[in-house]
Amino acid sequence: MIENFDLKQLVEPLQNWFASNARVLPWRETPTAYKVWVSEIMLQQTRVEAVKPYFDRFIHELPDVKALAECPEDKLLKLWEGLGYYNRVRNMKIAAQQVMEEYGGVIPSGYEELIKLKGIGSYTAGAIASIAYGEAVPAVDGNVLRVITRVAADDSDIMKESTKKSIEQCLFDIMNDVQDGKTSVIPSIFNQALMELGATVCVPNGAPHCDKCPWNGLCEAKRQNRIDEIPVKTKAKQRKIEKKTVLIIKDGEQLALHKRPAKGLLAGLYELPNIPEHQSEENVLTFMKKQGYEPVRIQPLCDAKHIFSHVEWHMKGYVVFVASRELKREEGAAEYDTMQHDKQDWIFVDVEETRKNYAIPSAFSKYAEYLNLVLGKNVFEK
C-alpha cells in the first residue's frame, strides 16, 4: 500500500532526472497561470504533440484571460476544432468571465480559489497553483496515479476516487514535509517531473522504459515482477454503438451544414447532415426528395468510425449533388419517421466560409478527406 512506502526517497532522483530530461514545450517557456491553465485543459484526452499547434494558435488569438472571456462562441469553437470535448473550452470561457468579475482579471494563486472556477478540478487547480505560483500542492492525473502505484506496488484500483484521494494526501504530505526549516521538494518541478515520467518513461501503453527511469532501483513493482499487473484499473462500461448515414450535400460550391442541439454530445457545433442507421442509396434519394431537394447524382463514400467516451459512431457516407434547393417538400415527408431531418435546420455555405468560420467535429474528418481531395481546400482547418 502507498501508506507503507517511503515516498521521500523518490524526490531527489526524480527532480534531478527532470532537470536533464524535460521536453521543451511551448507552455513551459514562460509558465504563467493562463498558459498552464490552457495547456492542461487541452492536454486532457489529447497527446502532447497534437496539442502544440492548437496551443500556439489559441494563445496567439486569445493571449490573456480578458480576450478569452470576451471571445465570441463561434470563434472559440473554431479555435478548439479538432480537439474534441468542446465543453472544456466553453467552461474555460465561463471561468475566464469569473476571473474578470471576481478577481480583477488575475487568475487566483491559491488552490482553494482555483478549484471554485468552472471546469477546474483538483488536478488542474494543483497544476496551476504549483507550476505557476509555486504552491506545495499535488497535481494527480492518470500518469501520476500510474507511476506512484507502480513504484509502491500498490494494487488499489486507480479508478476509485478513494485511491486518488489517498495518493493526493501522501504527495501533499511529502511536499509539505519541512526539515531544518526547508523542504527538498520544488513544487513546480516535482509535479511536472511526475507527469513527465508517466508520459515518457512509465508509459500508459506498452512496456515501461525501466532502464531510463530514475527510480529503477527503487520500484517495488519491478522488484516484485508485477509491472504488468499494476496499475489496477477497472474496465469501463462497453460503449453504445450508433449507426449513422452521413451526407455531403453539395449545391455547386456550397456545402450543407446542420447545427447540433444546444445540449448533449457535441452541443452547438456544426456537422455534416446525417440520418439514423445505415441507409441505401435509394433511401437517401427518397429522403432528399421528401426534404424538398432535387438530387441529380449520388456517390457512395467509405465507411468510418469515431469513438467518444461512451458511444461509438459507425458511419456510412454519401455525396449528394443537388440541382435545386427551391422545391417544395413532397407530401407525406413527415411520415418518413426513420429519416426525418427538418430542411430548415440546414444551411448552405461556401466551402471557404466553412473552413474559416464553422467548427465541425473531427468525428467527420474521414469525409472531409473527400472534400479536401475534390476541392483542393482544407475544409477542416487546424
Side-chain angles (χ1 to χ4, degrees), residues 52-238:
K52 286 181 180 179
Y54 286 99
F55 176 84
D56 289 338
R57 185 177 63 166
F58 194 93
I59 294 298
H60 179 265
E61 293 291 329
L62 306 175
D64 52 34
V65 174
K66 183 175 184 294
L68 173 56
E70 297 174 351
C71 183
E73 180 163 293
D74 284 348
K75 177 180 178 180
L76 189 66
L77 296 179
K78 187 65 180 176
L79 287 170
W80 204 262
E81 182 183 25
L83 282 171
Y85 302 96
Y86 287 84
N87 276 342
R88 292 183 294 171
V89 75
R90 287 192 174 100
N91 288 338
M92 284 181 67
K93 180 177 177 178
I94 295 171
Q97 292 170 338
Q98 286 180 263
V99 171
M100 295 302 298
E101 294 169 4
E102 301 173 23
Y103 300 95
V106 179
I107 297 173
S109 60
Y111 174 90
E112 295 299 334
E113 293 301 310
L114 286 164
I115 207 167
K116 296 176 184 177
L117 299 177
K118 183 73 171 178
I120 293 184
S122 61
Y123 166 73
T124 305
I128 297 171
S130 62
I131 298 171
Y133 295 120
E135 185 177 350
V137 289
V140 178
D141 66 352
N143 281 328
V144 176
L145 289 170
R146 182 172 57 260
V147 300
I148 293 298
T149 52
R150 268 186 178 161
V151 74
D154 188 332
D155 56 8
S156 302
D157 184 354
I158 64 170
M159 297 300 289
K160 291 183 177 180
E161 187 64 20
S162 59
T163 300
K164 181 181 178 183
K165 290 293 185 185
S166 175
I167 290 175
E168 283 178 335
Q169 185 60 54
C170 289
L171 291 176
F172 180 86
D173 290 343
I174 67 164
M175 293 178 78
N176 290 275
D177 180 33
V178 178
Q179 296 181 355
D180 300 324
K182 62 180 181 179
T183 175
S184 60
V185 176
I186 305 171
S188 63
I189 299 300
F190 182 70
N191 280 342
Q192 289 185 89
L194 284 173
M195 301 173 202
E196 192 83 345
L197 189 68
T200 64
V201 176
C202 200
V203 293
N205 299 307
H209 309 297
C210 295
D211 57 319
K212 299 179 180 179
C213 181
W215 298 341
N216 192 14
L218 303 172
C219 181
E220 280 296 309
K222 182 181 179 182
R223 187 183 70 81
Q224 298 175 24
N225 197 28
R226 299 179 63 197
I227 286 176
D228 292 340
E229 301 174 18
I230 299 173
V232 174
K233 184 177 180 180
T234 53
K235 292 184 179 180
K237 294 181 180 178
Q238 190 171 3

